[in-house]
Amino acid sequence: MSRFSNLGHKLYQGEVSFDFVGRRKLWYSISGVIVLVAAIGLTMGLHLGIEFKGGSVYTVAKPGLTISQTQEAVDKIVESHPLVQSTENGKIRIQVSSEEKVSSSVITESLAKGLGVPVQEIEAQVIGPSWGEQISNKALTGLVIFMILVTIYLAIAFEWRMAVAALVALIHDLLITIGVYALVGFEVTPGTVIGFLTILGYSLYDTVVVFDTVKENTKDLTKQNKLTYSDAANAGLNQTLVRSLNTTVVALLPVAALLFIGGGFLGAGTLNDISLALFIGLAAGAYSSICVATPLLAQLKEEQPEMKALAKRVAQRRAADAKAEAARDAGGEDGEDGSGDEQPAGMVGQRGRAAGTTRAKGRPSTNR
Amino acid sequence: MATPKSRPRDGYPGRALALILVVTVGLVALMFGTGHTKPRLGIDLAGGTSITLSAKSTDPKAINKSNMDIATGIIEQRVNGMGVSEAEVQTQGDRNIIVNIPKGGDKQTAADQVGSTANLYFRPVLALAPSGLQAPAPTDTPSASGSAAPSATGTPAATGTPSAGATAAAPSTGATKQGRPAGEALAADTTPTAAATGAAATGTPSAAATGAAATGTPSAAATPPATPDLSAAMTSGTVPPELAAQFAALDCSKLEQRQNHQTSEGAPAVACSQKQEDGVWYKLALGPVAVFGKDVSKAQATIDTQQGGGWQVQLQFNGKGTDAFTAVTGQLASQPQPANQFAIVLDGQVVSHPYVRGAIPGGSAVISGSFTQAEAQGLANQLSFGALPLEFTTSDVTTVSPQLGGDQLKAGLVAGLIGMVLVVLYSLVYYRGLGLVSIAGLLVSAALTYSIMSLLGAGIGFALNLPAVCGAIVAIGITADSFIVYFERIRDEVREGAPLRPAVQRAWPRARRTILVSDFVSFLCAAVLYVVSVGKVQGFAFTLGLTTALDVVVIFLFTKPLITLLARKKFFSDGHPWSGLDPKRLGARPPLRSTRRRNPSSSAAVKEA
């Protein structure tokens, strides 16, 4: 762990640096592939629960009948593992989704056989798909309104480019999560819808935290000629990398516990439905805020004329530096951050400076 | 942030800490004191009651999808007014609506409320008499007053001061400015009841709050009865001949007789009072319907601020209702007792029968009776969410077991606990001493969340379902997240070579901004979902909003002050290897500025963002 903590220090000082922004193409292709797979999964369709699909409910009254007995009998008849509950007056209620190819009359007869009760004593009711529809429609409305509002907010708090990048990352996370659902074939219940909505808040939360550092790191950027926007953004990412990893780990731990422990002990269930959505969503959220949102932001920013000009100046300076170095053919490293006393102005915030000045120290990573 | 000279640079963290600890302990004490030590569980976790309502209508065409959807919406509003009670309302087949109400809710009230059609009429009173009485008792007549200014937002509650011989006045802006319109109507000899009942003061919204108020004894100040005539069969007013026999036979003290006796909207009818008035059940003879409930455009429960703070219901009529109401109050004002009263009849029972002293124009009125808060809100609900498009009968009420076995909840809690332990371990390993701070913070958060949820269960019927439990488990991550943001900032400062106390101060504004911006995003998400959605999603949004708000409270009032205090301790400020703030371990640069370290106040001024 101490090594990890050391790594944090090295990352912060810029001694170790991962070039996230520069490997944009790699991230985009990874994301592209995942989203594509998710989309293919979606075309196969989602496995919707009874609240969405409608279905049928059977009520059986037989003294001494247990839930587990009923569940066994029912599972022999239909494949969808219907929900079995007991009601107050010793009755047992079975919910079968309408996806079942088996018709309700057949189910009634088979149930009667399997449980040893007369057919007349099994009440069957058919449920319409109104409720899940209603909940999801309203959730969807909420989602759209929220996206609009949050884009406006981020555009004001940060800038429109950040808002766009954050939104893209958010959609990316949602797509991946829904796609995995389709692929795994887990049931989508109103609970799952709620899981998706949680991701929404968290994915943005994560992105906002990263962008906050990037914003800080790219302040007064045009006043120097050592770093391009991408370099500065990348330095910011590296500085917050440990924190991002920590926050993600800390958020994932409880969810992982839910997923593996809940699922391990009980098999499939509502807990699993929700925690799977959360797990995928949180992981995707952490990944996208670093590898999708920030590179995209840098890409958008580099289009700005002043940033283009800056990139040009930086390139010129680097070329000049390289020449000078070659001429000296001795390796007096430039930008050594020993004492931090001889830093060129601009990028380096000395201690005692106003909070908010950037502190990207060390050499910019240019593994290109 | 100008600070006085005497103030220590890092403020008075002790005060904030004391505040939040007092609040936390207070909430937990309140939770145990009121006995609501567990959050109410939603129907998926605790089971509940399932009510099946079947639509019936004389016109078979009326039972169609759109009417069923409207009805579903209205019933949803009734059982789930705040949106957090986890009640589920869904259609079943083409003529049934299933209402699931979690355990702990008032089963009977719910069953009564959901399907009632709430047909509301305003009928003039023709006669009234106490019934089933051995000895006469004074009546207690509520008063009605209107305000002359129509206002979409409902005029502030004010059953005005008695104005003897008030005359009707045309609505005018002047009238609103005075606050009390001249169309004021109040019988000088009525008791504005609510003062006699301590109901409003207790403010318990639970339907189980004993009807102490409803049957409250009149206060000492109660004025003499309006019907002192105890001889003539104790009846005041004239009973129309066609109702005479029915009226005489009616005994409202018997439950089975307090039913809906209204046969037609255009004919007079008899009715019972919905509640006892001074321990007496009244029977009334009523004229034809003057104003219909469907012409009420808005109703809300308010506290009568001028008359001792009782609960009342404010009404706002639509155009048609306004005209009718103005006309009928104008007519009634000139009548003798008791024909100067109009009865507000809800589902065949008289809720209140206030006096009228002058025409009440402007389309708003106040119903004041001996309402408890729950009654006033219930009535307002029924009036606002109006008449159902269809009539429903309750065809089945059963108690259902939890949809998810108790093992699901148990597994969820075990998983949550394990997750919590993992988070604690992780932060201890990574942040060492600081990890203790995050543990303490998590505990405070947990105590606050749990006690608030438990109290809200009793307060606004908040119920926790499995998704909300999962939401709370995710909130562990979000809360820990805020700590990490701050810790990392401090460590960044220490890496820069700052001594700990200034580092803690300097890291704060920047960490604060990050935390606020990101929490705002989460909160926005919760708020939008709460406003837009229904049912389960709304309950979840509420949980998310609550935990996000608490996250901000905890980080500001607990974590930051605690760190500030700890920074003064040698263990941390000297960067003990186990403190998580060891400059060496963090690779702080060699202290070139040792001069500054000895004199931390020189240039290390804290910039407040």
Side-chain angles (χ1 to χ4, degrees), chain B residues 237-256:
Chain B
T238 356
V239 182
E242 69 265 34
L243 290 179
Q246 200 188 356
F247 187 78
L250 186 63
D251 180 0
C252 290
S253 61
K254 295 197 168 63
L255 178 66
E256 70 277 7

PDB file of all heavy atoms in Angstrom, chain B residues 237-256:
ATOM      1  N   GLY B 237     -85.720  25.213  12.401  1.00  0.00           N
ATOM      2  CA  GLY B 237     -85.902  25.285  10.958  1.00  0.00           C
ATOM      3  C   GLY B 237     -87.147  24.514  10.554  1.00  0.00           C
ATOM      4  O   GLY B 237     -87.859  23.942  11.382  1.00  0.00           O
ATOM      5  N   THR B 238     -87.409  24.504   9.260  1.00  0.00           N
ATOM      6  CA  THR B 238     -88.605  23.830   8.774  1.00  0.00           C
ATOM      7  C   THR B 238     -88.208  22.635   7.933  1.00  0.00           C
ATOM      8  O   THR B 238     -87.467  22.780   6.963  1.00  0.00           O
ATOM      9  CB  THR B 238     -89.416  24.765   7.851  1.00  0.00           C
ATOM     10  OG1 THR B 238     -88.778  26.040   7.851  1.00  0.00           O
ATOM     11  CG2 THR B 238     -90.843  24.861   8.299  1.00  0.00           C
ATOM     12  N   VAL B 239     -88.730  21.507   8.313  1.00  0.00           N
ATOM     13  CA  VAL B 239     -88.456  20.319   7.519  1.00  0.00           C
ATOM     14  C   VAL B 239     -89.483  20.263   6.393  1.00  0.00           C
ATOM     15  O   VAL B 239     -90.678  20.378   6.649  1.00  0.00           O
ATOM     16  CB  VAL B 239     -88.572  19.049   8.381  1.00  0.00           C
ATOM     17  CG1 VAL B 239     -88.239  17.821   7.564  1.00  0.00           C
ATOM     18  CG2 VAL B 239     -87.668  19.161   9.587  1.00  0.00           C
ATOM     19  N   PRO B 240     -89.019  20.137   5.153  1.00  0.00           N
ATOM     20  CA  PRO B 240     -89.985  20.039   4.057  1.00  0.00           C
ATOM     21  C   PRO B 240     -90.874  18.808   4.245  1.00  0.00           C
ATOM     22  O   PRO B 240     -90.387  17.770   4.719  1.00  0.00           O
ATOM     23  CB  PRO B 240     -89.118  19.886   2.805  1.00  0.00           C
ATOM     24  CG  PRO B 240     -87.717  19.769   3.265  1.00  0.00           C
ATOM     25  CD  PRO B 240     -87.645  20.088   4.699  1.00  0.00           C
ATOM     26  N   PRO B 241     -92.166  18.947   3.885  1.00  0.00           N
ATOM     27  CA  PRO B 241     -93.125  17.868   4.155  1.00  0.00           C
ATOM     28  C   PRO B 241     -92.697  16.508   3.595  1.00  0.00           C
ATOM     29  O   PRO B 241     -92.836  15.488   4.268  1.00  0.00           O
ATOM     30  CB  PRO B 241     -94.413  18.348   3.483  1.00  0.00           C
ATOM     31  CG  PRO B 241     -94.053  19.550   2.684  1.00  0.00           C
ATOM     32  CD  PRO B 241     -92.792  20.096   3.255  1.00  0.00           C
ATOM     33  N   GLU B 242     -92.120  16.508   2.400  1.00  0.00           N
ATOM     34  CA  GLU B 242     -91.791  15.194   1.816  1.00  0.00           C
ATOM     35  C   GLU B 242     -90.676  14.487   2.584  1.00  0.00           C
ATOM     36  O   GLU B 242     -90.434  13.293   2.392  1.00  0.00           O
ATOM     37  CB  GLU B 242     -91.426  15.325   0.320  1.00  0.00           C
ATOM     38  CG  GLU B 242     -90.101  16.031   0.046  1.00  0.00           C
ATOM     39  CD  GLU B 242     -90.269  17.514  -0.223  1.00  0.00           C
ATOM     40  OE1 GLU B 242     -91.177  18.125   0.386  1.00  0.00           O
ATOM     41  OE2 GLU B 242     -89.507  18.083  -1.047  1.00  0.00           O
ATOM     42  N   LEU B 243     -89.975  15.258   3.428  1.00  0.00           N
ATOM     43  CA  LEU B 243     -88.886  14.622   4.174  1.00  0.00           C
ATOM     44  C   LEU B 243     -89.237  14.367   5.627  1.00  0.00           C
ATOM     45  O   LEU B 243     -88.472  13.759   6.360  1.00  0.00           O
ATOM     46  CB  LEU B 243     -87.642  15.521   4.152  1.00  0.00           C
ATOM     47  CG  LEU B 243     -86.895  15.677   2.832  1.00  0.00           C
ATOM     48  CD1 LEU B 243     -85.720  16.626   3.025  1.00  0.00           C
ATOM     49  CD2 LEU B 243     -86.397  14.337   2.328  1.00  0.00           C
ATOM     50  N   ALA B 244     -90.420  14.873   6.008  1.00  0.00           N
ATOM     51  CA  ALA B 244     -90.744  14.896   7.442  1.00  0.00           C
ATOM     52  C   ALA B 244     -90.594  13.523   8.092  1.00  0.00           C
ATOM     53  O   ALA B 244     -89.947  13.387   9.130  1.00  0.00           O
ATOM     54  CB  ALA B 244     -92.159  15.428   7.650  1.00  0.00           C
ATOM     55  N   ALA B 245     -91.186  12.530   7.457  1.00  0.00           N
ATOM     56  CA  ALA B 245     -91.170  11.200   8.068  1.00  0.00           C
ATOM     57  C   ALA B 245     -89.734  10.671   8.173  1.00  0.00           C
ATOM     58  O   ALA B 245     -89.292  10.177   9.214  1.00  0.00           O
ATOM     59  CB  ALA B 245     -92.023  10.240   7.244  1.00  0.00           C
ATOM     60  N   GLN B 246     -89.037  10.827   7.090  1.00  0.00           N
ATOM     61  CA  GLN B 246     -87.659  10.340   7.042  1.00  0.00           C
ATOM     62  C   GLN B 246     -86.796  11.057   8.087  1.00  0.00           C
ATOM     63  O   GLN B 246     -85.985  10.443   8.774  1.00  0.00           O
ATOM     64  CB  GLN B 246     -87.097  10.592   5.638  1.00  0.00           C
ATOM     65  CG  GLN B 246     -85.900   9.725   5.296  1.00  0.00           C
ATOM     66  CD  GLN B 246     -85.256  10.129   3.988  1.00  0.00           C
ATOM     67  OE1 GLN B 246     -85.759  11.027   3.289  1.00  0.00           O
ATOM     68  NE2 GLN B 246     -84.179   9.472   3.647  1.00  0.00           N
ATOM     69  N   PHE B 247     -87.027  12.356   8.184  1.00  0.00           N
ATOM     70  CA  PHE B 247     -86.230  13.160   9.112  1.00  0.00           C
ATOM     71  C   PHE B 247     -86.496  12.747  10.554  1.00  0.00           C
ATOM     72  O   PHE B 247     -85.584  12.607  11.362  1.00  0.00           O
ATOM     73  CB  PHE B 247     -86.559  14.638   8.904  1.00  0.00           C
ATOM     74  CG  PHE B 247     -85.679  15.566   9.692  1.00  0.00           C
ATOM     75  CD1 PHE B 247     -84.394  15.848   9.280  1.00  0.00           C
ATOM     76  CD2 PHE B 247     -86.136  16.152  10.868  1.00  0.00           C
ATOM     77  CE1 PHE B 247     -83.569  16.706   9.994  1.00  0.00           C
ATOM     78  CE2 PHE B 247     -85.311  17.008  11.603  1.00  0.00           C
ATOM     79  CZ  PHE B 247     -84.036  17.277  11.152  1.00  0.00           C
ATOM     80  N   ALA B 248     -87.787  12.524  10.830  1.00  0.00           N
ATOM     81  CA  ALA B 248     -88.153  12.156  12.197  1.00  0.00           C
ATOM     82  C   ALA B 248     -87.560  10.804  12.574  1.00  0.00           C
ATOM     83  O   ALA B 248     -87.127  10.584  13.696  1.00  0.00           O
ATOM     84  CB  ALA B 248     -89.681  12.130  12.340  1.00  0.00           C
ATOM     85  N   ALA B 249     -87.525   9.895  11.583  1.00  0.00           N
ATOM     86  CA  ALA B 249     -87.066   8.535  11.879  1.00  0.00           C
ATOM     87  C   ALA B 249     -85.555   8.429  11.974  1.00  0.00           C
ATOM     88  O   ALA B 249     -85.017   7.483  12.551  1.00  0.00           O
ATOM     89  CB  ALA B 249     -87.580   7.585  10.799  1.00  0.00           C
ATOM     90  N   LEU B 250     -84.892   9.383  11.385  1.00  0.00           N
ATOM     91  CA  LEU B 250     -83.428   9.286  11.277  1.00  0.00           C
ATOM     92  C   LEU B 250     -82.752   9.420  12.648  1.00  0.00           C
ATOM     93  O   LEU B 250     -83.035  10.337  13.396  1.00  0.00           O
ATOM     94  CB  LEU B 250     -82.920  10.387  10.333  1.00  0.00           C
ATOM     95  CG  LEU B 250     -81.448  10.370   9.991  1.00  0.00           C
ATOM     96  CD1 LEU B 250     -81.081   9.105   9.242  1.00  0.00           C
ATOM     97  CD2 LEU B 250     -81.116  11.581   9.135  1.00  0.00           C
ATOM     98  N   ASP B 251     -81.936   8.455  12.968  1.00  0.00           N
ATOM     99  CA  ASP B 251     -81.166   8.551  14.210  1.00  0.00           C
ATOM    100  C   ASP B 251     -79.678   8.471  13.873  1.00  0.00           C
ATOM    101  O   ASP B 251     -79.128   7.397  13.642  1.00  0.00           O
ATOM    102  CB  ASP B 251     -81.548   7.404  15.148  1.00  0.00           C
ATOM    103  CG  ASP B 251     -80.750   7.471  16.452  1.00  0.00           C
ATOM    104  OD1 ASP B 251     -79.928   8.407  16.595  1.00  0.00           O
ATOM    105  OD2 ASP B 251     -80.933   6.593  17.304  1.00  0.00           O
ATOM    106  N   CYS B 252     -79.055   9.620  13.840  1.00  0.00           N
ATOM    107  CA  CYS B 252     -77.669   9.673  13.361  1.00  0.00           C
ATOM    108  C   CYS B 252     -76.653   9.129  14.365  1.00  0.00           C
ATOM    109  O   CYS B 252     -75.474   9.028  14.068  1.00  0.00           O
ATOM    110  CB  CYS B 252     -77.294  11.101  12.986  1.00  0.00           C
ATOM    111  SG  CYS B 252     -78.143  11.638  11.494  1.00  0.00           S
ATOM    112  N   SER B 253     -77.107   8.808  15.564  1.00  0.00           N
ATOM    113  CA  SER B 253     -76.130   8.261  16.504  1.00  0.00           C
ATOM    114  C   SER B 253     -75.851   6.802  16.177  1.00  0.00           C
ATOM    115  O   SER B 253     -74.962   6.185  16.726  1.00  0.00           O
ATOM    116  CB  SER B 253     -76.637   8.403  17.937  1.00  0.00           C
ATOM    117  OG  SER B 253     -77.858   7.682  18.067  1.00  0.00           O
ATOM    118  N   LYS B 254     -76.671   6.235  15.290  1.00  0.00           N
ATOM    119  CA  LYS B 254     -76.449   4.849  14.887  1.00  0.00           C
ATOM    120  C   LYS B 254     -75.630   4.813  13.593  1.00  0.00           C
ATOM    121  O   LYS B 254     -75.991   5.437  12.606  1.00  0.00           O
ATOM    122  CB  LYS B 254     -77.792   4.149  14.671  1.00  0.00           C
ATOM    123  CG  LYS B 254     -78.602   4.011  15.949  1.00  0.00           C
ATOM    124  CD  LYS B 254     -79.698   2.969  15.769  1.00  0.00           C
ATOM    125  CE  LYS B 254     -80.329   2.580  17.092  1.00  0.00           C
ATOM    126  NZ  LYS B 254     -81.003   3.749  17.742  1.00  0.00           N
ATOM    127  N   LEU B 255     -74.566   4.091  13.651  1.00  0.00           N
ATOM    128  CA  LEU B 255     -73.625   4.056  12.522  1.00  0.00           C
ATOM    129  C   LEU B 255     -74.311   3.694  11.204  1.00  0.00           C
ATOM    130  O   LEU B 255     -74.108   4.338  10.183  1.00  0.00           O
ATOM    131  CB  LEU B 255     -72.508   3.045  12.826  1.00  0.00           C
ATOM    132  CG  LEU B 255     -71.476   2.853  11.706  1.00  0.00           C
ATOM    133  CD1 LEU B 255     -70.674   4.127  11.502  1.00  0.00           C
ATOM    134  CD2 LEU B 255     -70.544   1.698  12.021  1.00  0.00           C
ATOM    135  N   GLU B 256     -75.170   2.659  11.275  1.00  0.00           N
ATOM    136  CA  GLU B 256     -75.758   2.189  10.017  1.00  0.00           C
ATOM    137  C   GLU B 256     -76.695   3.222   9.400  1.00  0.00           C
ATOM    138  O   GLU B 256     -77.036   3.130   8.232  1.00  0.00           O
ATOM    139  CB  GLU B 256     -76.454   0.838  10.220  1.00  0.00           C
ATOM    140  CG  GLU B 256     -77.728   0.894  11.041  1.00  0.00           C
ATOM    141  CD  GLU B 256     -77.446   0.879  12.554  1.00  0.00           C
ATOM    142  OE1 GLU B 256     -76.260   0.951  12.958  1.00  0.00           O
ATOM    143  OE2 GLU B 256     -78.414   0.787  13.303  1.00  0.00           O
TER     144      GLU B 256
END
